[in-house]
Amino acid sequence: MIPIFSASVSNANFDFLSPIQRVLQSHWYVLGEEVKNFEREFAAYIGVADCVSLANGTDALELALRAVGVKKNDKVVAVANAGFYGSTAIHAVGAVPVYVDVDSASLNMSSVSLAQALKHDPKAVIVTHLYGQMANIVELVSLAREAGVVVIEDCAQAHGATRDGRRAGSFGDIGCFSFYPTKNLGALGDGGAIVTNNPAVANSVRTLRQYGWAQKYHVETPFGRNSRLDEMQAAILRDKLPLLDGWNEYRRRIAVKYNLAFSGLPLVLPVSVDDDYVAHLYVIRVDSRETFRSHMQSLGVATDVHYPLPDHLQPAYPNAKTIGKLSNTESACDAVVSLPCFPGLSDQDVNQVISAVQSFFN
Ligand SMILES: *Cc1c(COP(=O)(O)O)cnc(C)c1O
């Protein structure tokens, strides 16, 4: 079976032992030199002033909301097709998600829909760069800034994606990352970070990740917690960071092959295979998804659905607020299917995926 992601294949040539040994030799496990250096190196890579590492990507979104001043009952604009991560963070701060529709081609936030949502006086907007495809971020940021609304970029699937030479995470007021093992930059467990050019926002997140302390045992900021990246994870991420662009290129080359091979088929394909797409997930849209998935399964190819149920229809939070009908969101959720696309996936496996897809339509 060709899997949707393989940690053993993706990490095959990566030396985990030397970063772990560095930490063992230092005898310092939390908030030490590895974390400090990773934050400096990751900020430089993204092209921003500062990075604050955290325990995971969902904490990054929640602490970002808190750091930019989102409070209970404030409205936060978000899309509804991005796996509920942003929604989890919005609910955690007691704020109210206001869902907008996505663009039918890119499946990222629609500028027209955001413009309408901005009339409802939101405090912030979370722009997710879904599947590793950058949203129309310049226009979205300019609309939000005109309305005095803060922009949080969710870059958990878009490490290293660039638009006009600028990386995802450097456009808005704050960018959020996850280093979950399957992400384009993955740790050996959970991890996350925010990046920002705003020193006050960076300081606020630094305080929130460590109990809200201004100094040791002095709690000056409410809603603090423990959300720290371990030294061991930071050491691994530091050694992986120089390899990220190569891994993204590997993913993108698979996406290019797929797009070429599928161009004549009755499928909707990813809109871009340029630098603004780092192919975290290769997602196509197909009409009879369940039949398609069984066909792929029978030919030894795993598929997955990212994501089957939109945020505004999740049973835990009924009566969600939407701006009009989310028709593009809902039809995408019924049609999206992800194919194997990860660094190390062999040419032979890529060709097997291609033949399996082609045979479904022949
Ligand atoms: C993975 C992911 C997150 C959450 O990251 P965790 O580290 O798993 O908490 C947030 N947003 C998006 C778009 C993601 O894909």
Side-chain angles (χ1 to χ4, degrees):
M1 198 76 188
I2 302 173
I4 195 81
F5 174 78
S6 165
S8 64
V9 170
S10 292
N11 289 322
N13 300 311
F14 183 75
D15 170 21
F16 281 103
L17 289 180
S18 55
I20 292 170
Q21 263 153 7
R22 282 206 307 276
V23 176
L24 288 176
Q25 276 154 15
S26 77
H27 297 283
W28 194 281
Y29 311 120
V30 176
L31 294 187
E33 287 305 306
E34 296 293 341
V35 159
K36 220 179 277 169
N37 285 317
F38 172 68
E39 290 177 345
R40 194 170 32 76
E41 289 155 11
F42 195 64
Y45 175 81
I46 299 297
V48 294
D50 211 345
C51 164
V52 183
S53 60
L54 300 164
N56 58 69
T58 309
D59 276 5
L61 288 163
E62 182 187 335
L63 300 190
L65 288 166
R66 293 194 189 280
V68 301
V70 173
K71 303 235 150 52
K72 199 168 179 246
N73 298 326
D74 282 343
K75 295 181 188 128
V76 178
V77 181
V79 293
N81 65 334
F84 211 82
Y85 304 105
S87 299
T88 299
I90 295 167
H91 287 298
V93 310
V96 180
V98 174
Y99 294 112
V100 295
D101 207 1
V102 294
D103 177 71
S104 65
S106 72
L107 298 184
N108 280 319
M109 185 176 284
S110 147
S111 302
V112 175
S113 204
L114 173 63
Q116 281 177 306
L118 290 171
K119 295 178 190 151
H120 292 73
D121 197 28
K123 180 83 192 185
V125 48
I126 298 178
V127 177
T128 305
H129 301 294
L130 194 66
Y131 309 144
Q133 170 62 55
M134 284 179 77
N136 192 359
I137 190 68
V138 174
E139 189 178 355
L140 295 169
V141 166
S142 119
L143 283 169
R145 293 239 160 101
E146 248 168 67
V149 172
V150 176
V151 176
I152 296 169
E153 292 180 72
D154 182 348
C155 310
Q157 303 188 353
H159 315 66
T162 63
R163 169 86 35 80
D164 301 327
R166 288 174 63 188
R167 300 229 189 248
S170 68
F171 291 83
D173 297 275
I174 183 166
C176 298
F177 290 85
S178 162
F179 307 118
Y180 183 78
T182 63
K183 308 290 185 183
N184 290 37
L185 181 62
L188 201 60
D190 277 310
I194 65 93
V195 296
T196 183
N197 282 313
N198 184 327
V201 167
N203 281 340
S204 175
V205 175
R206 274 212 169 82
T207 304
L208 289 166
R209 79 169 168 189
Q210 175 105 308
Y211 320 118
W213 285 352
Q215 45 173 306
K216 213 172 177 185
Y217 310 136
H218 288 68
V219 182
E220 220 160 69
T221 308
F223 304 112
R225 69 178 57 188
N226 174 352
S227 182
R228 298 173 300 219
L229 183 73
D230 286 351
E231 283 284 286
M232 190 187 77
Q233 303 299 352
I236 289 165
L237 290 169
R238 282 186 75 195
D239 286 13
K240 279 193 166 191
L241 184 56
L243 305 169
L244 174 60
D245 287 342
W247 286 332
N248 283 344
E249 194 49 46
Y250 196 109
R251 289 172 180 269
R252 205 181 282 117
R253 271 202 301 272
I254 297 171
V256 168
K257 273 197 189 173
Y258 285 163
N259 265 17
L260 262 173
F262 304 153
S263 64
L265 303 177
L267 288 170
V268 184
L269 305 176
V271 272
S272 166
V273 284
D274 294 328
D275 291 350
D276 64 347
Y277 173 58
V278 289
H280 172 63
L281 294 169
Y282 182 87
V283 176
I284 59 176
R285 278 171 274 172
V286 53
D287 286 335
S288 37
R289 179 168 67 197
E290 285 326 300
T291 331
F292 175 80
R293 293 191 68 196
S294 326
H295 174 84
M296 296 299 284
Q297 169 90 20
S298 74
L299 292 175
V301 180
T303 60
D304 206 344
V305 174
H306 300 92
Y307 300 90
L309 188 59
D311 295 18
H312 65 294
L313 301 178
Q314 293 286 354
Y317 300 94
N319 310 313
K321 185 172 173 56
T322 67
I323 300 297
K325 275 208 181 327
L326 307 188
S327 345
N328 293 338
T329 301
E330 289 179 18
S331 50
C333 285
D334 292 337
V336 287
V337 53
S338 307
L339 301 179
C341 182
F342 53 85
L345 185 64
S346 69
D347 283 348
Q348 191 192 325
D349 284 356
V350 169
N351 290 334
Q352 189 180 327
V353 174
I354 289 173
S355 316
V357 172
Q358 287 170 337
S359 70
F360 179 74
F361 295 101
N362 290 337

